Amino acid sequence: MCSLVILYLRRDKLDAAEASFTCALDFYAEKQDRWYIASCSFGQGRTCLRRQDFDGAGAALTRALALWREVNELWGTAAVNQAFGDLHLCSDRLDDAEISLNLALNIFTTQVESRTDEARTNRSFGKLYLRRSQFVDCERVLRRALELDIIAGSRVGQAQSHRELGAMFMKKAQPAAAESSYADALRLFLKIEDYQATSCLFELGSAWVQQGKMEESDALISELLRVRWDAEEEIRKPKDGVVVSTS
């Protein structure tokens, strides 16, 4: 189920992801397996967060945190605190976000080795510092996140780190640097067919507009859209007699 849900989330198919978590949750509830109930609740919380259902996210993450603490699961405890950090950022509770992210980062750096999760937590810190206009700290943690993503071989993580660097450069009124970061992010998002490619494309367009590259912007956007269309057509091609739908 894990690989399938990751695919659903990467394609932004939140209904399918939520249905998978709900089905699994019912199964593990019958078995009274607290670890897997916590894992499914965590997945539901992250999905609710993507939907901007903050009440639903808070309830699911609270349930997951309580269960993982009961079974002394350090990774789960840290992962939920990282998610709570993101939730607090969405609610403009920056001080609460910092507390949750510090709890998560402390576990990931001293007790549980998970480079992708440590990178994800650093990216969340980057968003926090950007909101506070702490640009030096923001770039430091985002560079660290990118370094960890490269070591871990996480292309989606690398793309997200480049994208957050682009956002930082835009806020610093450095559109040329933002263009470079957004372009790096977009190339990776397109390679892994991630839904974030579309938003990243528009962010890259904003960097072009800030530099007055209007004609170049139109031409590059058309080319990038063609590349994305070709990639989606490749996905739809019959494989062993089966047509794969991306709708």
Side-chain angles (χ1 to χ4, degrees):
M1 184 195 76
C2 182
S3 298
L4 185 61
V5 171
I6 290 172
L7 178 61
Y8 287 149
L9 293 174
R10 185 166 290 172
R11 297 285 180 81
D12 207 28
K13 296 182 180 295
L14 301 185
D15 288 340
E18 188 171 12
S20 296
F21 284 128
T22 299
C23 181
L25 188 59
D26 291 341
F27 175 79
Y28 290 117
E30 288 185 7
K31 295 182 174 294
Q32 298 183 331
D33 189 319
R34 289 179 293 173
W35 195 97
Y36 281 106
I37 294 172
S39 182
C40 293
S41 297
F42 174 63
Q44 286 182 323
R46 296 295 307 188
T47 304
C48 287
L49 193 54
R50 284 268 294 273
R51 291 184 184 279
Q52 296 187 321
D53 174 7
F54 301 137
D55 289 339
L61 292 174
T62 298
R63 183 168 60 248
L65 183 59
L67 289 168
W68 264 329
R69 280 176 172 168
E70 285 180 14
V71 297
N72 297 313
E73 171 55 62
L74 283 175
W75 174 86
T77 299
V80 172
N81 273 297
Q82 187 277 323
F84 266 122
D86 285 346
L87 177 60
H88 294 323
L89 284 173
C90 291
S91 305
D92 290 322
R93 296 165 58 186
L94 303 189
D95 290 342
D96 289 335
E98 186 171 20
I99 291 170
S100 294
L101 293 174
N102 272 319
L103 288 170
L105 193 60
N106 179 61
I107 293 175
F108 287 135
T109 56
T110 64
Q111 300 179 71
V112 177
E113 183 176 333
S114 176
R115 290 189 177 97
T116 54
D117 289 301
E118 185 181 343
R120 184 178 295 112
T121 307
N122 274 290
R123 274 195 300 279
S124 295
F125 264 116
K127 295 175 185 177
L128 171 65
Y129 291 139
L130 187 59
R131 296 277 285 278
R132 292 174 171 171
S133 296
Q134 295 176 230
F135 297 123
V136 173
D137 288 330
C138 179
E139 184 165 4
R140 173 179 56 81
V141 295
L142 291 178
R143 295 290 184 194
R144 175 57 177 162
L146 181 58
E147 177 187 4
L148 290 165
D149 289 323
I150 292 171
I151 294 171
S154 172
R155 290 189 295 177
V156 66
Q158 291 173 54
Q160 290 169 340
S161 295
H162 282 302
R163 186 182 180 191
E164 293 303 328
L165 282 166
M168 180 199 70
F169 287 127
M170 285 295 283
K171 189 168 183 179
K172 291 176 69 177
Q174 297 177 0
E179 175 187 347
S180 178
S181 292
Y182 283 139
D184 287 338
L186 184 59
R187 279 191 288 270
L188 287 164
F189 282 137
L190 288 170
K191 282 182 180 179
I192 60 178
E193 298 166 16
D194 192 286
Y195 79 100
Q196 296 171 85
T198 302
S199 298
C200 189
L201 175 59
F202 285 106
E203 291 160 352
L204 178 57
S206 296
W208 286 327
V209 170
Q210 289 294 315
Q211 298 175 82
K213 297 182 177 181
M214 306 305 295
E215 293 183 4
E216 182 180 354
S217 173
D218 290 342
L220 287 172
I221 287 175
S222 297
E223 174 62 15
L224 288 166
L225 288 174
R226 183 194 64 77
V227 171
R228 183 171 178 81
W229 174 260
D230 288 347
E232 291 183 351
E233 284 297 300
E234 181 65 27
I235 296 167
R236 293 191 188 97
K237 286 182 180 178
K239 295 177 175 61
D240 297 326
V242 178
V243 177
V244 180
S245 173
T246 59
S247 61

